[in-house]
Amino acid sequence: QQYMDLVNKKLLNVKELKEYTGWGDTTVRRLLRRADSPFTVRMGNRLYADKDLFDKYIADCIKYQINVC
């Protein structure tokens, strides 16, 4: 149920992105802070991932065999 709630959200915060991916805090924060991140949304000092753009980014990384971080 909790995973399904994440699937239906547009923006994921750090905690939710960790749950969605299964990655650790450091990896998620490093990825969101990258200057070239196409999916990061900044609101004040908070970081969010646009889930649709994040999913596309991951799919492209898999397709073109690019390291995620």
Side-chain angles (χ1 to χ4, degrees):
Q1 175 62 29
Q2 203 171 21
Y3 179 78
M4 290 306 294
D5 292 339
L6 294 177
V7 169
N8 294 324
K9 290 186 81 171
K10 178 68 175 160
L11 294 177
L12 301 175
N13 63 29
V14 172
K15 180 181 176 187
E16 293 166 337
L17 191 58
K18 286 170 43 179
E19 292 174 19
Y20 185 66
T21 61
W23 299 341
D25 192 70
T26 303
T27 301
V28 167
R29 288 182 186 278
R30 183 183 323 131
L31 197 56
L32 288 173
R33 287 185 179 136
R34 284 179 51 174
D36 63 343
S37 170
F39 51 82
T40 298
V41 177
R42 289 179 172 80
M43 293 184 196
N45 64 346
R46 298 189 184 248
L47 297 171
Y48 297 89
D50 179 306
K51 196 181 85 48
D52 294 335
L53 294 177
F54 178 77
D55 288 341
K56 181 182 180 326
Y57 174 80
I58 295 300
D60 287 347
C61 287
I62 292 168
K63 181 178 179 180
Y64 300 110
Q65 300 179 0
I66 301 168
N67 288 334
V68 174
C69 284

